[in-house]
Amino acid sequence: MERNKIKSLPDGFEIHEGYFPERMEEIGRFRIRAWRNENGINPTFFSQEVWIDSLDKNAHHWIITKEKVIVAAARLSFHECIEEVPYADFLHDEHRPLFQKSPIASINRLVVDPAFRGRGFARILDNERIKLAAKAGSKIMIAFPQLSRLVHLQKLGFNLISQLENIPEMPERPFFLMKLDL
């Protein structure tokens, strides 16, 4: 498989897929910048300059750019067990048996610049991540969306499992667990 791919989108946008160690800090800054002024977020968390975690190094990333500036980003990570998945510590005991098949694909860190929302970028990024997870042999996909993403993910075949405790980064935004069998 190619390491990085670029495809043109309408209106001069491009989608880049792959591994971007040279752009990881830029992606981390974009995550903060795009979320910083949203309602329901933890202002202390979003006062930091960069949002990068240990999974970013080995995760598969997508960025959508306009004139080389990131306007949307998302990642897909693969895990051998549910305990490795981001936010696994928020799962209830009854959820864990639902994720025994491996590898588990986890979609997370989807963010779209507020000025570029409503253009279908989340849908494009979700479809790309599902396609790659299936191609890579994952048996199951897990998502931890916010309320605004539930209907869209259900249209893609995800099943709503449960509402979870809100995450520290976004303490006033409902947080959910969804599952897709691939």
Side-chain angles (χ1 to χ4, degrees):
M1 177 166 64
E2 294 177 47
R3 189 94 169 133
N4 292 326
K5 300 177 191 174
I6 302 172
K7 291 189 285 189
S8 294
L9 296 174
D11 301 321
F13 292 95
E14 292 182 327
I15 185 168
H16 305 250
E17 173 192 345
Y19 300 91
F20 307 105
E22 74 287 355
R23 293 189 86 173
M24 206 59 245
E25 186 166 322
E26 180 185 5
I27 293 168
R29 288 181 186 285
F30 171 73
R31 290 172 180 164
I32 292 292
R33 189 176 64 253
W35 277 104
R36 185 172 275 151
N37 296 315
E38 295 291 320
N39 292 326
I41 57 107
N42 177 338
T44 302
F45 180 85
F46 285 94
S47 68
Q48 66 185 340
E49 294 299 316
V50 178
W51 185 4
I52 298 175
D53 64 34
S54 61
L55 291 177
D56 281 316
K57 181 179 180 182
N58 295 315
H60 203 87
H61 295 269
W62 285 260
I63 53 176
I64 296 177
T65 61
K66 175 83 173 197
E67 298 173 2
K68 300 188 182 193
V69 175
I70 298 173
V71 300
R75 85 174 175 199
L76 172 70
S77 52
F78 296 96
H79 311 275
E80 290 302 317
C81 63
I82 190 63
E83 289 74 25
E84 296 176 357
V85 172
Y87 302 115
D89 50 335
F90 286 84
L91 296 175
H92 304 154
D93 289 341
E94 65 268 19
H95 300 146
R96 293 180 187 285
L98 299 172
F99 298 96
Q100 295 307 308
K101 297 177 187 175
S102 69
I104 301 167
S106 173
I107 58 171
N108 43 72
R109 299 295 184 267
L110 172 66
V111 61
V112 179
D113 184 309
F116 293 91
R117 292 180 184 160
R119 296 173 182 258
F121 292 152
R123 178 184 43 80
I124 291 168
L125 293 167
D126 287 336
N127 286 330
E128 290 293 323
R129 294 183 294 172
I130 291 168
K131 186 170 40 175
L132 180 63
K135 183 177 175 181
S138 291
K139 305 295 182 205
I140 196 163
M141 184 173 266
I142 190 170
F144 295 99
Q146 297 189 12
L147 184 61
S148 62
R149 303 235 327 115
L150 291 182
V151 171
H152 170 71
L153 290 175
Q154 286 173 321
K155 287 178 181 177
L156 293 175
F158 279 85
N159 294 306
L160 175 61
I161 306 300
S162 180
Q163 184 170 349
L164 301 173
E165 178 183 336
N166 296 357
I167 59 173
E169 298 91 344
M170 300 174 188
E172 296 175 29
R173 290 174 158 256
F175 190 61
F176 297 88
L177 169 63
M178 297 185 86
K179 173 185 173 234
L180 174 66
D181 291 312
L182 298 171

